Coordinates of all heavy atoms in Angstrom, one line a residue:
G111 N 79.2 157.2 154.5 CA 80.4 158.0 154.9 C 81.0 158.6 153.7 O 81.3 157.9 152.7
M112 N 81.2 159.9 153.7 CA 81.8 160.6 152.6 C 82.7 161.7 153.2 O 82.4 162.4 154.1 CB 80.8 161.4 151.8 CG 79.7 160.6 151.2 SD 79.8 160.8 149.4 CE 78.7 159.5 148.9
Y113 N 83.9 161.9 152.5 CA 84.6 163.1 152.9 C 85.0 163.8 151.5 O 85.2 163.1 150.5 CB 85.8 162.8 153.7 CG 86.9 162.0 153.1 CD1 88.0 162.7 152.4 CD2 86.9 160.7 153.1 CE1 88.9 162.0 151.7 CE2 87.9 159.9 152.4 CZ 88.9 160.6 151.8 OH 89.8 159.8 151.1
R114 N 85.2 165.1 151.6 CA 85.6 165.8 150.4 C 87.1 165.8 150.3 O 87.8 166.2 151.3 CB 85.1 167.3 150.4 CG 83.7 167.4 150.2 CD 83.4 168.8 149.8 NE 84.0 169.9 150.6 CZ 83.8 171.2 150.4 NH1 83.0 171.6 149.4 NH2 84.4 172.1 151.2
N115 N 87.7 165.4 149.2 CA 89.1 165.6 149.0 C 89.4 167.1 149.0 O 88.7 167.9 148.2 CB 89.5 165.0 147.6 CG 91.0 165.2 147.3 OD1 91.5 166.3 147.3 ND2 91.7 164.1 147.1
E116 N 90.3 167.6 149.8 CA 90.4 169.0 150.0 C 91.0 169.8 148.8 O 90.7 170.9 148.6 CB 91.3 169.3 151.2 CG 90.5 169.1 152.5 CD 91.3 169.5 153.8 OE1 92.3 170.1 153.7 OE2 90.7 169.1 154.9
D117 N 91.7 169.0 147.9 CA 92.2 169.7 146.7 C 91.2 169.7 145.6 O 91.0 170.7 144.9 CB 93.5 168.9 146.3 CG 94.6 169.0 147.4 OD1 94.7 170.1 148.0 OD2 95.3 168.0 147.6
T118 N 90.6 168.5 145.3 CA 89.7 168.4 144.2 C 88.3 168.7 144.5 O 87.5 168.9 143.6 CB 89.8 166.9 143.6 OG1 89.2 166.1 144.6 CG2 91.2 166.5 143.3
L119 N 88.0 168.7 145.8 CA 86.6 168.9 146.3 C 85.7 167.7 145.9 O 84.5 167.8 146.1 CB 86.0 170.2 145.9 CG 86.7 171.5 146.3 CD1 85.9 172.8 145.9 CD2 86.8 171.5 147.9
Q120 N 86.3 166.7 145.3 CA 85.4 165.5 145.0 C 85.1 164.7 146.2 O 86.0 164.4 147.0 CB 86.2 164.6 143.9 CG 86.4 165.3 142.6 CD 85.1 165.9 142.0 OE1 84.1 165.2 141.9 NE2 85.1 167.2 141.7
P121 N 83.9 164.2 146.3 CA 83.6 163.3 147.5 C 84.1 161.9 147.3 O 84.2 161.4 146.2 CB 82.0 163.3 147.5 CG 81.6 163.6 146.1 CD 82.7 164.4 145.5
Q122 N 84.6 161.4 148.4 CA 85.1 160.0 148.5 C 84.2 159.2 149.4 O 84.1 159.6 150.6 CB 86.5 159.9 149.0 CG 87.5 161.0 148.5 CD 88.0 160.6 147.1 OE1 88.2 159.5 146.8 NE2 88.0 161.7 146.3
E123 N 83.6 158.2 148.9 CA 82.7 157.3 149.8 C 83.6 156.3 150.5 O 84.5 155.7 149.9 CB 81.7 156.6 149.0 CG 80.7 155.8 149.9 CD 79.6 155.1 149.1 OE1 79.1 155.6 148.1 OE2 79.4 153.9 149.4
Y124 N 83.5 156.3 151.9 CA 84.3 155.3 152.6 C 83.4 154.3 153.4 O 83.9 153.4 154.1 CB 85.3 156.0 153.5 CG 84.7 157.0 154.6 CD1 84.3 156.5 155.8 CD2 84.5 158.3 154.3 CE1 83.7 157.3 156.8 CE2 84.0 159.2 155.2 CZ 83.6 158.7 156.5 OH 83.0 159.5 157.4
Y125 N 82.1 154.5 153.5 CA 81.2 153.7 154.3 C 79.8 153.7 153.8 O 79.3 154.8 153.4 CB 81.3 154.1 155.7 CG 80.6 153.2 156.7 CD1 81.2 152.0 157.1 CD2 79.3 153.5 157.2 CE1 80.5 151.1 157.9 CE2 78.7 152.6 158.1 CZ 79.3 151.4 158.4 OH 78.7 150.6 159.3
C126 N 79.1 152.6 153.8 CA 77.7 152.6 153.4 C 77.0 151.4 154.1 O 77.3 150.3 153.8 CB 77.5 152.6 151.9 SG 75.8 152.8 151.5
K127 N 76.1 151.7 155.0 CA 75.4 150.6 155.7 C 73.9 151.1 155.8 O 73.7 152.1 156.5 CB 76.0 150.4 157.1 CG 75.3 149.3 157.9 CD 75.9 147.9 157.6 CE 75.2 146.9 158.4 NZ 75.4 145.6 157.9
L128 N 73.0 150.4 155.1 CA 71.6 150.9 155.1 C 70.7 149.8 155.7 O 71.0 148.6 155.5 CB 71.2 151.2 153.6 CG 72.1 152.3 152.9 CD1 71.8 152.4 151.5 CD2 71.9 153.7 153.6
P129 N 69.6 150.2 156.3 CA 68.7 149.2 156.9 C 68.1 148.4 155.8 O 67.7 148.8 154.7 CB 67.7 150.1 157.6 CG 68.0 151.5 157.5 CD 69.2 151.6 156.5
D130 N 67.8 147.1 156.2 CA 67.0 146.2 155.3 C 65.7 146.9 155.0 O 65.1 147.5 155.9 CB 66.8 144.9 156.0 CG 68.0 144.0 156.1 OD1 69.0 144.4 155.4 OD2 68.0 143.1 156.8
G131 N 65.2 146.7 153.8 CA 63.9 147.2 153.4 C 63.8 148.7 153.2 O 62.8 149.3 153.1
I132 N 65.0 149.4 153.1 CA 65.0 150.8 153.0 C 64.3 151.3 151.7 O 63.7 152.4 151.7 CB 66.4 151.4 153.1 CG1 66.4 152.9 153.2 CG2 67.3 151.0 151.9 CD1 67.7 153.6 153.6
E133 N 64.3 150.4 150.7 CA 63.7 150.8 149.4 C 62.2 151.0 149.6 O 61.6 151.7 148.7 CB 64.0 149.8 148.3 CG 63.4 148.4 148.5 CD 64.1 147.5 149.6 OE1 65.2 147.9 150.1 OE2 63.6 146.4 149.9
K134 N 61.6 150.5 150.6 CA 60.1 150.7 150.8 C 59.8 151.9 151.7 O 58.6 152.3 151.9 CB 59.5 149.5 151.4 CG 59.6 148.2 150.6 CD 58.8 147.1 151.1 CE 59.4 145.8 150.8 NZ 60.4 145.3 151.8
K135 N 60.8 152.6 152.2 CA 60.6 153.6 153.2 C 60.7 155.0 152.6 O 61.3 155.2 151.5 CB 61.6 153.5 154.3 CG 61.5 152.2 155.1 CD 62.6 152.2 156.2 CE 62.7 150.8 156.8 NZ 61.6 150.5 157.7
T136 N 60.2 156.0 153.3 CA 60.5 157.4 152.9 C 61.8 157.7 153.6 O 62.0 157.5 154.8 CB 59.4 158.4 153.5 OG1 58.2 158.1 153.0 CG2 59.8 159.8 153.3
V137 N 62.8 158.1 152.7 CA 64.2 158.2 153.2 C 64.5 159.7 153.4 O 64.2 160.5 152.4 CB 65.2 157.6 152.3 CG1 66.6 157.8 152.8 CG2 64.9 156.1 152.1
I138 N 65.0 160.1 154.6 CA 65.4 161.5 154.8 C 66.9 161.5 154.8 O 67.5 161.1 155.8 CB 64.8 162.1 156.0 CG1 63.2 161.9 156.1 CG2 65.1 163.6 156.1 CD1 62.6 162.4 157.4
L139 N 67.5 162.0 153.8 CA 69.0 162.2 153.7 C 69.3 163.5 154.4 O 68.8 164.5 154.1 CB 69.4 162.1 152.3 CG 70.9 162.3 152.0 CD1 71.7 161.1 152.5 CD2 71.2 162.5 150.6
V140 N 70.3 163.4 155.4 CA 70.6 164.7 156.1 C 72.1 165.0 156.1 O 72.9 164.1 156.2 CB 70.1 164.6 157.6 CG1 68.6 164.7 157.7 CG2 70.6 163.4 158.4
D141 N 72.4 166.2 155.8 CA 73.7 166.8 155.9 C 73.6 168.3 156.1 O 72.9 168.9 155.3 CB 74.5 166.5 154.6 CG 75.9 166.8 154.7 OD1 76.3 167.7 155.4 OD2 76.7 166.1 154.0
P142 N 74.2 168.8 157.1 CA 73.9 170.3 157.4 C 74.4 171.2 156.3 O 73.9 172.3 156.1 CB 74.7 170.6 158.7 CG 75.5 169.4 159.0 CD 75.0 168.2 158.2
M143 N 75.5 170.7 155.5 CA 76.1 171.6 154.5 C 75.9 171.1 153.1 O 76.3 169.9 152.8 CB 77.6 171.8 154.8 CG 77.9 172.2 156.2 SD 77.0 173.7 156.8 CE 78.0 174.9 156.1

Side-chain angles (χ1 to χ4, degrees):
M112 300 237 171
Y113 68 90
R114 288 197 313 179
N115 178 304
E116 286 186 7
D117 299 321
T118 64
L119 299 183
Q120 294 306 308
Q122 315 285 321
E123 185 180 317
Y124 60 87
Y125 187 76
C126 186
K127 179 89 179 163
L128 301 172
D130 287 347
I132 191 168
E133 65 283 352
K134 297 190 211 83
K135 298 177 190 286
T136 298
V137 178
I138 309 178
L139 178 69
V140 291
D141 190 329
M143 309 306 279

